[in-house]
Amino acid sequence: MKKKITGVVFGIVISLITAMLFMLMGQVWAGGITSLWGESWLYFSVIIPFALTFGVLGGYFRNKDNLSNKRLWMISFISAFFITLFSGTIGAIIGETIVRGGMETINVEGTLVWGTVYAFVLLPLTIPFARLIIGVFYKLIKMIPSN
């Protein structure tokens, strides 16, 4: 149970850092940083998938002593796709609904279609990033003693 909670907390912290990095890179590419925190819907859209993913991984890694590099890459692929798909579709809709106070201004169909497209197109970027943070998380989990 301790490792699942560690996973959820790790996921929330990493989601906030990732959202901030994503937002800052987007602002730089768009011409300059205009806001340090950016749009709050982005933070809402990534917290749930990151917390779920790392909570599940915390439980999975609990009894796994020596995972192969191939297995970690496969876990990274699945995790990156899930996080990107959820945050780009359902997460974006939830985040926008919370921030805007309703769904009147949200293009739900477009968000679902383009969020799915982005989840596939961004895999070459998201998989290595996921492998990096999952590798760090795996090492962190192995430092926590099992009960």
Side-chain angles (χ1 to χ4, degrees):
M1 186 66 168
K2 187 190 305 186
K3 292 185 180 187
K4 289 180 184 177
I5 293 171
T6 302
V8 170
V9 171
F10 184 85
I12 290 170
V13 170
I14 292 298
S15 74
L16 298 175
I17 293 169
T18 301
M20 180 179 267
L21 289 174
F22 181 77
M23 181 272 314
L24 288 173
M25 287 188 319
Q27 285 187 17
V28 167
W29 289 340
I33 297 173
T34 59
S35 169
L36 183 60
W37 293 105
E39 291 287 332
S40 55
W41 69 265
L42 181 61
Y43 296 96
F44 288 118
S45 72
V46 296
I47 284 177
I48 294 170
F50 269 90
L52 283 174
T53 299
F54 283 98
V56 169
L57 288 177
Y60 178 73
F61 291 158
R62 180 182 61 217
N63 297 322
K64 305 292 183 192
D65 288 331
N66 293 319
L67 286 175
S68 68
N69 192 36
K70 182 179 178 181
R71 175 66 60 149
L72 287 171
W73 276 104
M74 184 56 67
I75 291 168
S76 300
F77 168 76
I78 293 167
S79 299
F81 183 71
F82 168 73
I83 290 170
T84 308
L85 181 65
F86 187 96
S87 64
T89 56
I90 298 166
I93 293 168
I94 291 170
E96 282 285 342
T97 302
I98 292 170
V99 170
R100 308 283 183 240
M103 294 182 61
E104 295 81 26
T105 61
I106 301 171
N107 177 1
V108 175
E109 183 180 343
T111 301
L112 293 174
V113 169
W114 285 104
T116 304
V117 170
Y118 291 146
F120 283 104
V121 170
L122 293 175
L123 281 174
L125 298 174
T126 58
I127 293 172
F129 182 70
R131 177 62 179 91
L132 174 69
I133 59 177
I134 288 172
V136 168
F137 179 65
Y138 182 64
K139 289 178 182 175
L140 175 74
I141 285 295
K142 290 295 133 195
M143 292 190 307
I144 298 172
S146 295
N147 292 341

